[in-house]
Structures are given as C-alpha cells and as structure tokens.
Amino acid sequence: SKYKELGSVIIAIFIQGFLQAMLQRQSAQDVLVERVQKLTAALEAAFEAVFESDVGQLQVFLREVSEHLEAAKAVAPECDPKLQIWRGTLPPFSMHFCTSALKRIELIAAELEMILVAAKDWVPNSAESRSDDEEQAGKSTGVLELINLGMGM
C-alpha cells in the first residue's frame, strides 16, 4: 500500500518533469541570458556615449542599464539548480558565477553613474525646476571631452 503510493508519487514527478520540459518555451535560465544580453548591449552603448562625450545619451543608456540589471537580478534566483526537479541534459547553472557577475556589472554601472554626475553641469535647486532638467541633460561641463583628449595623447 505504501509502496504503491510511493510509486504513484515518483511517476507523477516524472510526468510533471516531462510535461514541463515539453511545454515550457523558455526556462528561467534562457530568460536570464536574454536579459543579460540586453544589459550588456546597453552597457556597451553607455561606454560608447562616454567616449563620444554625449552626456544625454549616457543618461539614457544608464537608465536602460539600470532597468535591465534589475530585471536580471529579479530572474536570477529562479535559476538556482536546487529548485529544479528535472535537470534534463543541460549542465547545472552556476549561481555563484551569475550572482558575482551581476554584482560586478552593478559596480560598473555605479562607476558610470559617477562619471555622469561629474560630467553634467551642476544646477542649483534642480529639484525645484524639473522643466529645465531636459534642457540640462545634454549639457556637459567638458569633463568627458578632457578625458577623451587625454586618452588620445
């Protein structure tokens, strides 16, 4: 009686794993890889904006980096191999590598944010005048230009 129940549970787990593998279009790992690819594309565009001394574009791409980073960090815990009932033929996902890579990317994004703050003109009482914020987005103090000139030497 208990063996029949145990056998039924084991068969149910196998059927569930098989159906999940067959019907699932994307795994959490596939979604994470897709989001990290978008994140790296936005990060590359932000670096290009730095080297082109384009403060407005840098601000836009850093916003994208932040959005993609948060989306990737939200999906990452679902990729833990401990949560998988049925692994299939794929190698186990390295959570340590994933979390450390996302932390490093977060640090790089923070550095780019600091570059953006240093490159923008300071506007006193900017919290009160949000309408001027769009005007000031493209203005630079010339810091990026100086950096790029120094790199060309």
Side-chain angles (χ1 to χ4, degrees):
S1 155
K2 291 193 179 211
Y3 291 113
K4 286 182 184 179
E5 186 178 333
L6 181 62
S8 297
V9 169
I10 291 172
I11 290 173
I13 289 173
F14 279 123
I15 291 173
Q16 181 184 5
F18 178 74
L19 288 176
Q20 185 177 5
M22 296 304 290
L23 298 176
Q24 191 175 25
R25 292 185 180 174
Q26 280 188 322
S27 68
Q29 295 166 358
D30 294 334
V31 172
L32 179 64
V33 167
E34 188 176 293
R35 290 184 178 178
V36 169
Q37 286 173 342
K38 290 179 183 177
L39 171 62
T40 54
L43 204 56
E44 285 179 26
F47 273 107
E48 287 177 15
V50 167
F51 292 118
E52 292 173 1
S53 303
D54 192 348
V55 176
Q57 284 296 99
L58 177 59
Q59 193 168 11
V60 168
F61 289 125
L62 281 178
R63 204 171 297 129
E64 281 184 33
V65 166
S66 178
E67 291 169 5
H68 293 307
L69 182 62
E70 290 306 314
K73 285 169 51 177
V75 172
E78 297 176 24
C79 297
D80 194 349
K82 295 176 194 168
L83 299 177
Q84 290 180 330
I85 295 174
W86 186 269
R87 188 177 87 173
T89 60
L90 297 174
F93 190 76
S94 175
M95 280 303 293
H96 176 70
F97 176 74
C98 176
T99 54
S100 64
L102 288 176
K103 285 179 186 176
R104 300 276 194 272
I105 291 173
E106 190 172 20
L107 291 174
I108 292 169
E111 293 292 331
L112 284 172
E113 288 281 346
M114 293 240 265
I115 290 172
L116 176 65
V117 169
K120 283 174 55 177
D121 278 336
W122 179 73
V123 179
N125 299 326
S126 65
E128 296 172 6
S129 60
R130 287 291 176 199
S131 62
D132 295 336
D133 201 27
E134 288 83 23
E135 280 181 28
Q136 297 295 329
K139 292 188 179 179
S140 171
T141 58
V143 172
L144 293 178
E145 290 85 356
L146 288 173
I147 291 171
N148 288 330
L149 275 174
M151 291 181 74
M153 295 177 136

